[in-house]
Amino acid sequence: MNEQVLHTLEFDEIRKMLASRAVSGLAKKMAMEWVPSSEQSVIQEWLTETEEATICLQKEIATPLGETHDVGPLLEKAEKDIPATPQEFMDLSATLSTHSRMHHYFEGDRHMVYPALESLAMLMQPMDDLMRRIDRVFEENGNIRDDASPKLHRIRSEMENLKSRLRRSLQRILHDRNQASYFQDNIITQRNGRYVLPVKEEYRYKFDGIVHDRSSTGQTLYMEPMISVQLNNDLAEAAVSEKAEIHAILEQLTREVKKSAYSIRENAKLATRIEFIFARGTLAMDMHAVRAVYSPEGQVNLKEARHPLINPKKVVPVSIPLGIDYKILIITGSNAGGKTISIKTLGLLALMNQAGLFIPAKEGSTLPVFNHFYAIIGDDQSIQYNLSTFSSYITKLSGFLGTCDSHDLVILDELGSGTDPIEGAALAEAVTEYLYKKGVPTIITSHFSEMKKLAYETEGIENAFVEFNEVTLMPTYHLIIGVAGNSNAFSICKRLGLVDEVIARAEKLKENSPYHNMESVMANLNQQMQNVEKEKIRLSSMVKEAEELRNDLKQESDILFEKRRKILDKTREEAESIKRNLRVQSENIIKDLKKTASQMDREGLNAHISKVRGRVNGMSIPKNKLEAKRERPEEFNVGDTVYIDTLGSNGTIQSVSGKKITVLCGIIRATVDKKNCFLPQRGADAPTPKASTRIHAGRKKYVDPSVTQVKTSINLLGKTVDEAIPEIDRFLNEAFMAGISPVQIIHGKGTGSLRAGIHKYLRTLNFVSEFHLANPQNGGAGVTEVYF
């Protein structure tokens, strides 16, 4: 990758942003040396690593990062058998601890959650034995432990004993009454590694000792008493032995490091890479960036892309498609309007993508992989080679124009400027046509009207412009594709305070230009584009508002329907309870009537009882579901299909007699009122009632409109009499209200006790006209048929 292009597109600044987010010096160095790739597989691997790091930073409480140091110098010393310093060993210990943390971080619940990062971490070799050896030698503050070796422990114990004897000896001298006046302070101190006492200068010849130092005022001498000279000598010898033993310990520890030098280096490389990956993830989060979608067709489609080096609160997003409907995009518009920022945004984001970085753009932005980047941006005079701006530009252009191809990206700012306008425009057109023929993806900024005309006339070359507000005389920095823009030079001159007379003369001269009308047309087109964009924004706002209103209404409708359903369910439960209580009370009244009315006409009594029971059973209970309003047929003919709401089923008309209709529902025949018949229902609204026997013809049928499902048999096998009676009562009531007769009670043969109990109960029901055992072919003694 050409370093000059990276500098031109400001990738250096991205490196600095990465380095500032790296946690170690090695990772910072890697960031500053990072170069984009042109290998698609490598780029995708880098992007996957960045994606995993971003997810890890967002999801996990802790990361695998820790304290690492550049242990390279230590390893070089170890390989030369030069003992490392205690601080170097402490840095190595912290680094090895972080390496171990990284290696084990992706175990357990994190296994295979971050496969790319885990594969790197698993390549690391934990140095637990070396870490423990270093920890046995050094304390947390970096001092050598007393027990780092048996010899060091013995030496330091001897030194402590000597120090104790020295302190006692000196304390006796300090507290000697005959010598107490000799001392400046009642303290013991050290000079040149030897224990001394502060003696007043006037008593130097009275105190028997050796002078080691003098205070700044000269009033105090630091003297070693002669009596303690031998102890100080012994202590000095012990200190020399201690130093030698520490040197031996460090030599031994350095040899152990030397044995693992290769593995430590490899671990350091992997750790640095992981740290740098997390720096990329941190940058992606800070930029609110996304992973670009790879386009194998070489298509660019940046959606609301933001230049990463501009303040996010001030940057104006741009959307740049390239390589979809056209290969070359020519951007025109006013000076300082954002043309250069637009082309730099494309170039820099493409470089970031190929460096494994997320880009600050909207989700779904696509980018290909470019083999080479070529960019000429800004005024770049070359004093060294005595080249003007134009010469420098052409020199750079010549360097790649003949070799670039369809897999490269070319970015040209102000192509053809810096020379005669006519010749410059002709040159710009020629270069553009040449790049067009070669199919090179190119983005160009220009002020030449000839370039605008070329884009209008050539399929595969497209115009774009940066919007300019004619009222405020300020650019809006919005990039609009499909229309060429004006340079607005005179408007900018007015804003910058140029003399009005000069501007007026320039405008008059412009009217003589052959492209003057074209400028007016483009101005009108730009105004229309602005109006369309405003209308688009307004309509989008209206659609969004309507959608929100629709969602609110739907939510309110759902809440209202749910409240209505709960009210109906509660009402139905209460009505069922009332009906159940009334039935019990009516049966009790009927039993009392039977006991006290033995002298009454039995037939009249039974009729009255049936009437009372029918009124109780016929009480209307609200349905447990909301049904649509049903339509009635205009006339009823034999053979027509109708829906009977009392049976909850479709049926075929068998006969019509006044207001009564006989219908056949499956194998069930029933007589119902016309008011209960509607146009037939389909699908789930038309269940077919189950049946096992025919309805006994010629018997009276009572129809209860609250019944929605009818059974013609009940199976009580395995039940006791007490368990069976409630089920029989419910079953017979439903069958009676639906007008079905006969029905079957399946009780089995067995001991006969269940059959006897059922028959005993049936005799108490006055709406049961008769019952008897079924025919052998219908179950014989195991089934009782009941008629109403």
Side-chain angles (χ1 to χ4, degrees):
M1 191 66 65
N2 190 319
E3 271 301 324
Q4 182 60 42
V5 172
L6 298 181
H7 174 72
T8 299
L9 294 174
E10 299 180 281
F11 188 75
D12 290 342
E13 298 301 319
I14 300 298
R15 287 169 168 167
K16 293 178 183 178
M17 296 173 75
L18 282 170
S20 68
R21 289 161 176 79
V23 297
S24 72
L26 288 174
K28 292 179 185 294
K29 182 180 178 182
M30 177 177 278
M32 292 305 296
E33 297 173 352
W34 193 242
V35 177
S37 173
S38 57
E39 293 291 334
Q40 195 270 331
S41 59
V42 173
I43 295 168
Q44 294 307 310
E45 179 184 350
W46 290 349
L47 288 171
T48 298
E49 292 170 350
T50 304
E51 184 174 33
E52 289 186 7
T54 304
I55 296 172
C56 184
L57 288 167
Q58 293 173 334
K59 180 181 177 182
E60 305 293 343
I61 297 175
T63 67
L65 305 181
E67 182 183 359
T68 58
H69 300 272
D70 183 2
V71 295
L74 182 151
L75 297 178
E76 291 177 2
K77 290 171 68 176
E79 290 170 340
K80 296 176 182 177
D81 295 322
I82 301 173
T85 65
Q87 184 58 51
E88 287 175 326
F89 279 114
M90 294 302 295
D91 291 346
L92 176 61
S93 178
T95 301
L96 295 180
S97 177
T98 299
H99 293 173
S100 179
R101 172 191 175 91
M102 288 181 176
H103 176 76
H104 295 292
Y105 180 82
F106 298 99
E107 297 174 350
D109 294 340
R110 299 189 185 100
H111 177 55
M112 294 310 295
V113 176
Y114 311 100
L117 293 174
E118 183 176 356
S119 64
L120 292 175
M122 294 307 295
L123 294 175
M124 303 177 77
Q125 300 180 33
M127 302 287 174
D128 296 338
D129 291 341
L130 182 57
M131 283 171 48
R132 284 191 290 268
R133 180 72 181 103
I134 295 174
D135 290 342
R136 284 197 297 267
V137 171
F138 296 97
E139 297 176 345
E140 291 183 0
N141 58 6
N143 293 331
I144 306 292
R145 294 181 182 273
D146 293 345
D147 57 353
S149 74
K151 185 177 180 179
L152 182 64
H153 185 269
R154 186 176 65 254
I155 292 172
R156 286 188 172 176
S157 296
E158 182 182 347
M159 290 177 68
E160 285 300 320
N161 182 46
L162 289 171
K163 289 177 183 178
S164 178
R165 289 171 60 189
L166 266 170
R167 283 193 292 268
R168 288 197 301 269
S169 174
L170 296 176
Q171 286 291 346
R172 283 196 297 270
I173 295 174
L174 285 173
H175 294 93
D176 185 352
R177 294 180 180 178
N178 296 326
Q179 302 183 77
S181 60
Y182 296 171
F183 306 113
Q184 194 74 260
D185 295 299
N186 192 22
I187 61 171
I188 300 172
T189 185
Q190 278 187 306
R191 287 294 185 275
N192 302 321
R194 302 178 74 87
Y195 284 88
V196 295
L197 298 175
V199 179
K200 295 177 182 177
E201 201 279 336
E202 61 264 31
Y203 294 108
R204 63 176 298 179
Y205 296 111
K206 292 185 178 181
F207 185 77
D208 187 16
I210 303 171
V211 177
H212 283 280
D213 197 7
R214 181 187 296 270
S215 68
S216 59
T217 60
Q219 300 299 313
T220 303
L221 301 176
Y222 295 97
M223 301 180 67
E224 177 185 5
M226 294 303 297
I227 194 172
S228 64
V229 169
Q230 186 57 45
L231 288 175
N232 267 321
N233 289 341
D234 293 343
L235 184 60
E237 290 179 9
V240 172
S241 298
E242 177 193 34
K243 185 176 180 180
E245 179 60 17
I246 289 175
H247 184 79
I249 292 171
L250 295 180
E251 279 186 329
Q252 176 61 32
L253 198 55
T254 300
R255 284 193 291 270
E256 295 182 27
V257 171
K258 180 180 179 180
K259 296 176 184 177
S260 303
Y262 176 79
S263 297
I264 294 173
R265 277 198 178 93
E266 293 304 307
N267 284 353
K269 292 177 183 177
L270 292 167
T272 301
R273 182 173 173 183
I274 291 174
E275 290 170 338
F276 179 59
I277 290 171
F278 274 88
R280 296 185 339 233
T282 303
L283 181 63
M285 292 176 59
D286 293 345
M287 285 185 177
H288 303 287
V290 300
R291 179 175 181 171
V293 179
Y294 170 61
S295 172
E297 297 83 12
Q299 298 177 347
V300 173
N301 189 15
L302 292 180
K303 301 178 180 179
E304 297 182 19
R306 308 179 303 277
H307 195 287
L309 304 182
I310 300 178
N311 188 330
K313 296 180 180 179
K314 297 181 179 179
V315 65
V316 177
V318 293
S319 296
I320 305 176
L322 186 67
I324 302 173
D325 298 321
Y326 47 87
K327 279 280 189 178
I328 296 181
L329 183 65
I330 299 174
I331 302 178
T332 54
S334 61
N335 291 304
K339 300 190 302 299
T340 303
I341 292 296
S342 296
I343 62 176
K344 277 190 172 183
T345 298
L346 170 58
L348 183 54
L349 266 57
L351 285 174
M352 290 175 63
N353 176 64
Q354 293 185 209
L357 304 177
F358 283 13
I359 61 171
K362 191 176 180 181
E363 199 78 45
S365 295
T366 62
L367 281 170
V369 172
F370 296 109
N371 288 342
H372 302 93
F373 289 78
Y374 302 108
I376 307 177
I377 298 175
D379 185 1
D380 188 16
Q381 290 188 347
S382 178
I383 299 175
Q384 179 181 359
Y385 299 105
N386 194 27
L387 298 178
S388 66
T389 299
F390 180 75
S391 299
S392 175
Y393 199 111
I394 298 304
T395 300
K396 292 179 180 179
L397 187 62
S398 301
F400 64 81
L401 193 61
T403 58
C404 62
D405 58 31
S406 60
H407 300 291
D408 301 331
L409 176 64
V410 172
I411 300 174
L412 301 175
D413 186 28
E414 301 295 351
L415 176 61
S417 62
T419 187
D420 177 80
I422 297 176
E423 293 181 352
L427 179 63
E429 284 187 85
V431 171
T432 303
E433 290 174 352
Y434 179 78
L435 292 170
Y436 171 71
K437 290 176 181 178
K438 296 185 71 173
V440 182
T442 307
I443 184 167
I444 302 170
T445 67
S446 177
H447 288 284
F448 295 129
S449 297
E450 291 85 351
M451 292 288 285
K452 304 172 189 177
K453 181 174 177 291
L454 176 65
Y456 276 126
E457 294 175 346
T458 309
E459 185 178 355
I461 304 178
E462 185 59 272
N463 269 313
F465 80 100
V466 284
E467 192 178 42
F468 187 85
N469 191 318
E470 295 287 352
V471 178
T472 62
L473 302 181
M474 292 289 288
T476 66
Y477 303 104
H478 288 114
L479 181 66
I480 299 177
I481 308 293
V483 181
N486 296 327
S487 297
N488 297 293
F490 298 155
S491 299
I492 294 172
C493 290
K494 290 178 182 178
R495 177 165 61 86
L496 297 178
L498 190 64
V499 178
D500 291 341
E501 182 181 346
V502 173
I503 297 173
R505 176 58 180 163
E507 289 176 340
K508 187 173 182 180
L509 292 172
K510 179 185 174 182
E511 292 177 0
N512 299 325
S513 169
Y515 291 103
H516 176 62
N517 292 333
M518 181 179 176
E519 295 286 341
S520 301
V521 170
M522 286 190 293
N524 292 331
L525 284 174
N526 293 343
Q527 185 61 47
Q528 292 177 22
M529 287 285 293
Q530 292 177 9
N531 294 338
V532 169
E533 190 66 24
K534 290 178 182 178
E535 185 66 16
K536 180 180 176 181
I537 294 173
R538 189 182 70 83
L539 291 175
S540 176
S541 176
M542 291 176 63
V543 169
K544 183 179 180 181
E545 184 178 347
E547 185 69 19
E548 292 175 353
L549 181 60
R550 187 185 72 83
N551 292 336
D552 291 342
L553 289 175
K554 185 178 182 304
Q555 186 177 5
E556 291 178 5
S557 175
D558 292 342
I559 294 172
L560 181 62
F561 188 85
E562 181 64 17
K563 287 182 179 179
R564 184 179 179 187
R565 185 190 63 77
K566 289 180 179 179
I567 292 172
L568 288 176
D569 286 346
K570 184 176 181 181
T571 303
R572 185 177 182 281
E573 290 173 3
E574 292 176 352
E576 286 283 4
S577 177
I578 293 171
K579 180 178 178 180
R580 207 162 34 244
N581 293 335
L582 284 175
R583 184 182 291 121
V584 172
Q585 293 176 19
S586 65
E587 288 297 332
N588 291 335
I589 293 171
I590 290 170
K591 288 179 181 178
D592 292 339
L593 284 173
K594 286 181 179 180
K595 292 178 182 178
T596 58
S598 57
Q599 304 302 321
M600 296 178 61
D601 176 34
R602 188 168 185 80
E603 183 177 351
L605 178 61
N606 286 339
H608 179 68
I609 290 171
S610 296
K611 182 178 180 182
V612 171
R613 183 179 282 116
R615 290 174 62 188
V616 172
N617 289 334
M619 292 179 63
S620 177
I621 304 299
K623 296 286 192 302
N624 61 352
K625 63 179 181 178
L626 302 175
E627 297 182 354
K629 185 177 180 181
R630 303 189 185 278
E631 298 181 4
R632 299 182 188 278
E634 296 180 358
E635 55 183 26
F636 298 89
N637 300 315
V638 175
D640 290 350
T641 300
V642 292
Y643 176 77
I644 305 96
D645 63 353
T646 55
L647 300 179
S649 161
N650 288 339
T652 304
I653 299 175
Q654 300 291 300
S655 64
V656 180
S657 178
K659 295 184 178 181
K660 299 293 183 179
I661 298 175
T662 301
V663 294
L664 180 64
C665 301
I667 61 172
I668 300 174
R669 181 178 284 102
T671 300
V672 297
D673 198 290
K674 284 184 177 180
K675 67 181 181 180
N676 299 116
C677 298
F678 302 89
L679 291 176
Q681 301 297 305
R682 304 294 178 191
D685 290 337
T688 302
K690 297 178 181 178
S692 59
T693 62
R694 292 182 300 168
I695 297 176
H696 186 73
R699 296 198 177 269
K700 181 178 180 182
K701 304 167 186 64
Y702 178 80
V703 180
D704 184 356
S706 69
V707 177
T708 61
Q709 190 173 6
V710 180
K711 294 181 180 179
T712 60
S713 65
I714 183 171
N715 190 336
L716 302 174
L717 293 175
K719 296 185 180 295
T720 64
V721 175
D722 291 337
E723 292 172 343
I725 295 302
E727 294 190 26
I728 293 173
D729 180 63
R730 184 165 54 252
F731 166 66
L732 294 178
N733 271 319
E734 291 178 354
F736 174 73
M737 287 186 284
I740 299 174
S741 179
V743 293
Q744 293 180 329
I745 300 175
I746 304 171
H747 44 66
K749 297 177 182 179
T751 61
S753 59
L754 178 58
R755 179 180 64 238
I758 292 173
H759 287 182
K760 180 179 179 182
Y761 175 68
L762 291 174
R763 293 188 186 95
T764 66
L765 303 177
N766 68 322
F767 60 90
V768 175
S769 61
E770 63 176 283
F771 61 88
H772 55 72
L773 295 177
N775 297 327
Q777 61 269 27
N778 290 332
V783 178
T784 296
E785 291 186 346
V786 181
Y787 297 86
F788 303 119

